Structures are given as C-alpha cells and as structure tokens.
Amino acid sequence: YWDDKVISSLTEFKKSKNKKSPKKNLIHLTSREMDVLKLVSEGISTKAIANKLEIGKYTVDTYRKNILIKFEVNNSSAAILKAKDFGMI
C-alpha cells in the first residue's frame, strides 16, 4: 500500500523527467565556428558566408569540416540538429 503523498511525489518526479530540456553540451566550438554554424543553419551558402565574415571560401570549408568532426556527424543537417538539441542555436 502506497501513501497518497508518495504516489503524488512519484508522479511529479516522472513528469519532471519527461520534460524535454536541452541536452548537456560537451562540445566546444570556437566563436568563429559558432558564427559559421549559425549562418549554415540559416541556409546561407559557403560563398555567402565567406563574403559576410570577410574570410576565404576555403576557410569556411575548414570551419565546416571542424564542426562536423566535433559533432561526430557526416553532414551539416545532422550538425544543426545536434546543435539545436544542445541549445547552441
């Protein structure tokens, strides 16, 4: 037999565990990688990112490659999803 207070506490605990909150972010991106990631998430092309940040296209490619490596993913879409899960963007 369970007391009503115990049942109520267990119910509240279960509800709080089911709430979606950002996962703990263990990935560190440089400020420039964050700039690139945000622009990629907005659908901006590599060339446009290079122009906006006043850096070379190949530099943007390097930042994008580093982002994929750090997130351990194979494409930008997966990196964006992970960044959203972590509350980074």
Side-chain angles (χ1 to χ4, degrees):
Y1 173 76
W2 293 87
D3 183 86
D4 287 340
K5 282 185 177 181
V6 172
I7 292 172
S8 177
S9 293
L10 289 172
T11 303
E12 288 302 313
F13 176 75
K14 179 143 177 72
K15 284 181 185 175
S16 70
K17 285 291 197 183
N18 288 337
K19 288 183 181 174
K20 288 218 174 202
S21 59
K23 295 176 184 173
K24 188 168 182 173
N25 178 12
L26 300 176
I27 297 171
H28 173 74
L29 297 181
T30 66
S31 61
R32 206 51 147 174
E33 288 168 345
M34 280 299 301
D35 293 341
V36 170
L37 179 61
K38 286 177 186 171
L39 293 170
V40 168
S41 74
E42 294 171 11
I44 299 176
S45 70
T46 297
K47 184 177 179 181
I49 293 171
N51 289 335
K52 184 173 180 88
L53 298 180
E54 298 179 346
I55 57 178
K57 176 188 172 301
Y58 294 110
T59 303
V60 175
D61 287 337
T62 299
Y63 286 131
R64 291 179 73 139
K65 178 186 62 125
N66 291 342
I67 291 166
L68 297 181
I69 290 168
K70 289 180 180 184
F71 278 109
E72 297 179 345
V73 295
N74 295 320
N75 58 60
S76 296
S77 296
I80 292 165
L81 288 175
K82 272 197 171 182
K84 286 183 179 182
D85 280 348
F86 292 138
M88 298 172 77
I89 55 172

